[in-house]
Amino acid sequence: MPRPSGQHFLLSAKARTLSLAQVFGLTDAAAEEVFRGIRWADTEGNPVCPHCGCPICYECRRPSGASRWRCKACRKDFSVTSGTLFASHKLPLRIYLAAIVIFVNEVKGKSALALGRDLGVQYKTAFVLAHKLREAMAIEARENRLGGEGTVTEIDGAYFGGHVRPENLKKDRKDLRRTENRSGKRRCVVVVRERQGRSLARSFATEDAATGFIRAHVARGGVMHADEASSWNRLHAHYDLRRVNHIHGYSIDGACTNQAESWFSRLRRAEIGIHHHISGDYLDRYAQEAAFREDNRRQPNGELFRLVTSLVCATKPSIDFCGYWQRAQLAGKGA
Ligand SMILES: [Zn+2]
């Protein structure tokens, strides 16, 4: 596909519509106003009760100055972040907004340690914050439905995690291709990427296990491209599937999966260069974050900030990450 001529989007002024300095310069009141404007965009920043949806709420701030409203209908209290992913926040709102800017400014991802250093908070705080932002990004990526008449999609899979370090001496080394010598943490990320469209990613134990997921999320009627892996054979019954054998070339007879491959290139660089370990329980989150970043790569950073903040507002308090370290501590004590 021909590239648009001229300057790369990320080099243009249009890509930079919000700076970190602007966010760190916000007063508490201004940060609250920014958050309110995005959370309650329909009512121009006027609070709406998260419990019952009533738009008539009385302001009754805490003595500390922290936000609090009381709903006229249900009489319940709520703050600017109640009912969102940032519920029960401990740090100033400005720090959370700054975290979003830092997070969206990175192209391949942000490590929790670096985020902690940027914000001046503990690693644990940054770790949970980064995962909450991934959770918000995942909402958008998870809703994607691809395929259908006139579309062209590409599918591919790649394995992540579960690295086993080989022994020092050759005589002690095991054959790491054998299942019994692996760590069991290795998982396959499968991506479906629509040309000129969105992408969808999920992790599975093997590439074979992804067939049901693909059928559930990709409508029939379009053309699908896949490589020579036997895992995709079953999809021939459901889609107009074009295959390319990578032993012979990257693009043969119009079949190619280069866009799916390039999607993996970004996730692989995030693994190698940023996070180092993205295996195990949170692989799905990293994959969905990568899908979000890829799909929104041509958005100005101010727009990305607004998008992620509105996703944070639309997301209920995190089940996985609300009180994450406190629960880990209790589990450690055997409670
Ligand atoms: Zn209410």
Side-chain angles (χ1 to χ4, degrees):
M1 195 184 303
R3 271 176 178 273
S5 59
Q7 196 180 30
H8 189 285
F9 171 73
L10 291 177
L11 291 172
S12 71
K14 284 181 190 155
R16 306 182 297 270
T17 53
L18 181 67
S19 79
L20 199 51
Q22 283 172 290
V23 175
F24 274 127
L26 292 173
T27 59
D28 288 346
E32 188 186 302
E33 202 170 314
V34 169
F35 199 81
R36 279 173 60 172
I38 296 173
R39 179 172 188 188
W40 292 302
D42 295 344
T43 54
E44 292 168 354
N46 291 316
V48 176
C49 173
H51 306 289
C52 71
C54 171
I56 305 170
C57 305
Y58 307 113
E59 184 163 3
C60 46
R61 286 190 179 273
R62 292 178 187 279
S64 64
S67 67
R68 184 169 59 175
W69 290 274
R70 183 160 295 160
C71 170
K72 186 186 179 191
C74 71
R75 313 294 298 166
K76 286 181 183 162
D77 290 352
F78 60 91
S79 77
V80 70
T81 56
S82 292
T84 74
L85 206 51
F86 287 165
S88 320
H89 68 276
K90 309 288 189 298
L91 298 165
L93 206 48
R94 181 173 53 250
I95 301 291
Y96 293 88
L97 297 179
I100 297 177
V101 179
I102 293 168
F103 211 70
V104 300
N105 277 349
E106 293 293 337
V107 176
K108 285 175 277 292
K110 184 81 181 174
S111 80
L113 274 170
L115 185 63
R117 287 192 290 264
D118 285 352
L119 297 174
V121 300
Q122 275 189 49
Y123 166 74
K124 289 178 170 184
T125 310
F127 172 88
V128 165
L129 196 47
H131 267 301
K132 284 183 177 174
L133 294 179
R134 279 184 200 108
E135 201 169 321
M137 288 175 162
I139 304 252
E140 206 220 29
R142 221 170 26 212
E143 302 295 318
N144 288 343
R145 291 289 179 276
L146 312 178
E149 286 296 332
T151 61
V152 182
T153 49
E154 297 181 10
I155 54 170
D156 199 13
Y159 283 84
F160 288 83
H163 175 71
V164 179
R165 181 182 291 197
E167 294 295 334
N168 175 32
L169 298 176
K170 194 174 179 187
K171 69 178 175 56
D172 299 331
R173 289 183 198 159
K174 294 170 181 162
D175 184 355
L176 296 176
R177 289 168 300 180
R178 299 181 75 92
T179 313
E180 63 268 27
N181 295 333
R182 289 186 183 163
S183 68
K185 288 186 178 170
R186 194 167 167 76
R187 284 180 71 80
C188 179
V189 173
V190 169
V191 70
V192 185
R193 191 166 182 197
E194 194 174 298
R195 291 185 190 168
Q196 316 286 346
R198 323 277 293 178
S199 51
L200 192 63
R202 188 74 60 85
S203 78
F204 300 90
T206 62
E207 214 172 57
D208 276 324
T211 316
F213 166 78
I214 292 168
R215 285 186 56 197
H217 291 85
V218 184
R220 298 168 81 144
V223 175
M224 187 180 275
H225 295 247
D227 62 18
E228 72 285 359
S230 59
S231 339
W232 312 127
N233 289 351
R234 276 182 287 167
L235 292 171
H236 276 287
H238 308 282
Y239 301 99
D240 178 2
L241 195 63
R242 316 276 167 88
R243 309 294 288 269
V244 54
N245 190 333
H246 284 146
I247 292 172
H248 303 302
Y250 295 119
S251 173
I252 297 170
D253 298 333
C256 91
T257 58
N258 287 355
Q259 291 194 29
E261 304 273 357
S262 86
W263 189 93
F264 276 118
S265 147
R266 182 168 289 186
L267 185 59
R268 191 66 78 191
R269 286 168 199 205
E271 180 199 29
I272 295 169
I274 313 278
H275 303 298
H276 306 175
H277 294 284
I278 60 170
S279 62
D281 299 341
Y282 303 126
L283 183 55
D284 265 328
R285 294 269 165 82
Y286 289 104
Q288 283 158 348
E289 177 196 349
F292 177 95
R293 289 186 189 280
E294 190 74 48
D295 292 352
N296 294 292
R297 66 194 181 283
R298 292 296 168 97
Q299 297 277 2
N301 70 341
E303 180 55 29
L304 281 175
F305 167 81
R306 196 200 58 73
L307 182 57
V308 173
T309 310
S310 65
L311 287 167
V312 162
C313 294
T315 310
K316 294 265 177 288
S318 174
I319 297 168
D320 290 348
F321 288 101
C322 204
Y324 177 84
W325 294 107
Q326 289 85 343
R327 282 204 308 274
Q329 205 174 13
L330 283 173
K333 285 178 188 163

